[in-house]
Amino acid sequence: MKSDTYTLKELVEVLNDSKKFYEEASTKVDQPELQQLFSRMARTKGAIASDLKTQITASGKKAPEGGTAGVILRKAYGEVRAKLSSTPDREYIAQLEDFEDRIVDAFRDAAAESDDSGVRELATKYMPEVM
C-alpha cells in the first residue's frame, strides 16, 4: 500500500506532465480541432491537479510543481519524431495516447492500492475525467 500524500503527489506529477504536453502540442499541431482539443485537455488536467494539490497542502505537505523525471526524455523523443514525420499531427496524437494511458494507470492504481480512503475516493471521482 502507498501512503496518501505520496500517491497524491504521483498523480499531480503525472497530471503536470500531461498538462505541459497538451499546452505545447496545442501550439504545434496544424488542425484547429486538435488545437482546441489539446487546449481543453490541458485545462482539465490542470484543474484536477489543482484540486489534488489543495488536498496535499491541506495535509501540511508541499505539493509538487513539476512532473516526473522521465517526461523530458519522452518529450524530446516525441518532438524529434514529429519533426521527422510527414504527419506531425498524427505523432502528437500517438503521444497523447501514451500520456492518457499513464494517467489512467496512475489513477486506477491509486483507486485500488492507496491505504487512504480519501485518496481512493478522489481517484475514483476523477477516473471518468481522466478516461
Side-chain angles (χ1 to χ4, degrees):
M1 294 281 189
K2 297 177 181 174
S3 72
D4 57 343
T5 304
Y6 178 81
T7 301
L8 288 177
K9 286 182 176 184
E10 283 183 330
L11 295 177
V12 168
E13 288 173 343
V14 171
L15 288 164
N16 287 344
D17 288 346
S18 177
K19 179 180 182 275
K20 185 173 184 175
F21 165 76
Y22 290 125
E23 288 171 343
E24 290 179 12
S26 72
T27 67
K28 294 182 180 181
V29 293
D30 295 326
Q31 297 179 32
E33 300 86 21
L34 288 178
Q35 292 170 349
Q36 292 172 357
L37 172 67
F38 289 171
S39 293
R40 186 177 73 241
M41 292 182 87
R43 285 190 304 274
T44 300
K45 303 310 185 218
I48 295 169
S50 179
D51 188 33
L52 297 180
K53 286 179 185 180
T54 300
Q55 299 295 324
I56 294 168
T57 56
S59 70
K61 306 288 185 195
K62 185 175 181 346
E65 294 301 320
T68 60
V71 78
I72 295 169
L73 293 175
R74 278 190 291 278
K75 179 183 169 223
Y77 175 71
E79 286 180 2
V80 168
R81 281 181 42 194
K83 286 179 183 177
L84 296 175
S85 174
S86 61
T87 55
D89 286 3
R90 196 172 293 162
E91 290 298 324
Y92 283 109
I93 291 170
Q95 290 179 56
L96 172 148
E97 291 172 356
D98 289 341
F99 272 103
E100 289 305 304
D101 289 345
R102 287 179 59 222
I103 292 169
V104 170
D105 289 345
F107 273 79
R108 202 173 271 144
D109 288 349
E113 297 176 11
S114 176
D115 58 356
D116 184 276
S117 63
V119 171
R120 290 192 307 271
E121 288 174 20
L122 280 171
T124 302
K125 171 185 170 184
Y126 287 118
M127 186 65 76
E129 290 181 61
V130 298
M131 293 184 92

